[in-house]
Amino acid sequence: MVDSGEIENLPLGDRLKKANHLARELSEHLRQAYLPKLMDLRGAAKIYDSEEVSDQQILDHTLAVLQAEEFTAELYARLRLYLDSIKAEMGPLLFTDEPSAQAMPAAPEIDVEDVLGE
């Protein structure tokens, strides 16, 4: 696994590219591996005939889902490191307490009762 110190040393562009890559990889893994394995387990668990679906088959499906879950958690943890690093660098630039000079003034509140009463 990548150390967060190594991530901080990468240029922001590289961190954004890597985060994008990890997000796509996570999405693809969920669609192509995790969800199909989960659906297989769900389908097997709904069959109550032990001659049609054995305990070993249920165990195999369960282990496959657990392995897919482990991989999902690892991918998410790596993605979260990159996203936290990006947020830490960009947060102070994007989310300042000072209102921007280009900010639009807030729209006046309209009281619905006043409008309906007219």
Side-chain angles (χ1 to χ4, degrees), residues 16-33:
L16 289 167
K17 287 178 188 175
K18 185 64 176 180
N20 185 34
H21 172 77
L22 288 170
R24 282 186 279 117
E25 186 176 355
L26 179 61
S27 173
E28 183 177 315
H29 167 70
L30 288 173
R31 280 186 282 115
Q32 294 181 359

Side-chain angles (χ1 to χ4, degrees), residues 31-68:
R31 280 186 282 115
Q32 294 181 359
Y34 184 78
L35 290 177
K37 289 176 184 177
L38 194 59
M39 294 303 290
D40 290 344
L41 174 60
R42 184 175 183 223
K46 285 186 173 187
I47 300 172
Y48 296 112
D49 186 8
S50 62
E51 298 203 8
E52 207 172 321
V53 178
S54 69
D55 289 344
Q56 185 62 47
Q57 288 173 315
I58 295 291
L59 176 64
D60 292 342
H61 286 303
T62 303
L63 291 175
V65 168
L66 291 174
Q67 288 175 343

Side-chain angles (χ1 to χ4, degrees), residues 51-92:
E51 298 203 8
E52 207 172 321
V53 178
S54 69
D55 289 344
Q56 185 62 47
Q57 288 173 315
I58 295 291
L59 176 64
D60 292 342
H61 286 303
T62 303
L63 291 175
V65 168
L66 291 174
Q67 288 175 343
E69 171 64 29
E70 262 183 49
F71 186 72
T72 301
E74 289 172 14
L75 268 178
Y76 178 75
R78 288 177 31 213
L79 175 60
R80 189 81 242 167
L81 285 173
Y82 280 94
L83 293 176
D84 288 343
S85 169
I86 293 166
K87 181 181 176 183
E89 184 170 333
M90 295 306 298

Side-chain angles (χ1 to χ4, degrees), residues 101-113:
Q102 298 174 350
M104 297 291 292
E109 290 186 27
I110 299 173
D111 188 9
V112 176
E113 291 178 7

